[in-house]
Amino acid sequence: MNIASILKEKSRDVVYVAPTMRVTEITGVLARHDIGAVLVLDSMLQVMGIVSERDIARCLAARGEATLGMTAAQIMTSDVVMATPATTIEEALEMMSQGRFRHLPVVDGHELCGLVSIGDVVKWRISQQALEVDSLRAYVQRAD
Ligand code: AMP
């Protein structure tokens, strides 16, 4: 099973911001969409970085109120680890646990085709396990 199976189940829309957006506005975007991270894309829609609530918390702890006036480009993580639709679910979990992050953008060639969170992966795994339990129950009942 791969990331493409998860993307099929969720919207491919990815919430993103421009590198010039200020932290005050970014917090509004995160709150409005009820999400924990946004991608930072350039004008060609190429990934420049990612800003998560953790980046904002870290910056607030280090720089205080000045954080609010800083831009996405100033606080983002620019070395973004990405998956492709063919990345397996196990590989994606390994990437997230190794890198200690919860968001994985998915790119197909140069095209951004989604963003998978640890929550999406856990939800998907639980539903797969429920399906397996159902089919094993049906199998055992047939054998009775
Ligand atoms: P998260 O757990 O995803 O909220 O993010 C924790 C930290 O990892 C933050 O500094 C993020 O900017 C960074 N981060 C989140 N996702 C990725 C990713 N796919 N690749 C690299 N860093 C990331």
Side-chain angles (χ1 to χ4, degrees), residues 40-105:
V40 184
L41 303 188
D42 66 18
S43 54
M44 305 291 287
L45 298 184
Q46 296 300 301
V47 177
M48 289 178 69
I50 187 163
V51 174
S52 105
E53 51 206 1
R54 195 175 308 176
D55 297 311
I56 298 173
R58 210 184 274 143
C59 197
L60 273 170
R63 324 242 335 220
E65 261 178 46
T67 303
L68 300 177
M70 291 172 73
T71 62
Q74 288 176 301
I75 68 160
M76 69 187 186
T77 301
S78 29
D79 200 7
V80 184
V81 177
M82 296 190 254
T84 73
T87 302
T88 66
I89 309 283
E90 281 66 33
E91 284 167 343
L93 276 173
E94 181 63 19
M95 287 156 107
M96 289 196 256
S97 75
Q98 279 283 325
R100 293 167 172 264
F101 50 74
R102 298 162 293 176
H103 300 88
L104 199 52

Side-chain angles (χ1 to χ4, degrees), residues 132-144:
E132 275 172 33
V133 168
D134 285 350
S135 68
L136 282 172
R137 273 211 187 103
Y139 176 76
V140 169
Q141 276 162 8
R142 271 204 307 275
D144 274 351

Side-chain angles (χ1 to χ4, degrees), residues 1-76:
M1 286 294 181
N2 52 30
I3 289 291
S5 336
I6 295 184
L7 287 183
K8 256 189 247 154
E9 306 283 315
K10 66 174 282 190
S11 153
R12 291 190 164 218
D13 292 346
V14 179
V15 180
Y16 66 91
V17 300
T20 49
M21 188 181 273
R22 304 217 174 262
V23 171
T24 31
E25 293 169 83
I26 298 173
T27 55
V29 173
L30 295 176
R32 243 187 340 274
H33 292 272
D34 198 18
I35 54 175
V38 280
L39 282 178
V40 184
L41 303 188
D42 66 18
S43 54
M44 305 291 287
L45 298 184
Q46 296 300 301
V47 177
M48 289 178 69
I50 187 163
V51 174
S52 105
E53 51 206 1
R54 195 175 308 176
D55 297 311
I56 298 173
R58 210 184 274 143
C59 197
L60 273 170
R63 324 242 335 220
E65 261 178 46
T67 303
L68 300 177
M70 291 172 73
T71 62
Q74 288 176 301
I75 68 160
M76 69 187 186

Side-chain angles (χ1 to χ4, degrees), residues 104-121:
L104 199 52
V106 187
V107 283
D108 199 355
H110 286 295
E111 194 194 340
L112 179 65
C113 49
L115 186 140
V116 167
S117 74
I118 191 95
D120 297 324
V121 179

